[in-house]
Amino acid sequence: MEELKSQILAFLEGVSKEKPRVIAEKIGAKKRDVDKACSELAKEGKIEYLYIGTSFVTLAGKDHTPGVIREE
């Protein structure tokens, strides 16, 4: 499970937000395993769920305001 969680976090580093189904397709994992790993990552505070018409997953604290570039 830890390896899958690491894959999900690495994938989310490269995107603003993504649906769990798409994450599963992109990293070659089963959706139910990705859902379970995302749930654990959310409990750990490493990712957040966004509900924009449908559910998305993003890294915790990532700013999604259009046109705003977040300073690191």
Side-chain angles (χ1 to χ4, degrees), residues 35-63:
D35 287 342
K36 186 174 180 179
C38 285
S39 176
E40 289 183 15
L41 287 167
K43 288 178 185 173
E44 296 170 6
K46 295 180 179 174
I47 67 168
E48 297 173 340
Y49 288 97
L50 299 174
Y51 298 99
I52 309 169
T54 185
S55 62
F56 290 91
V57 177
T58 186
L59 291 176
K62 203 168 193 175
D63 189 357

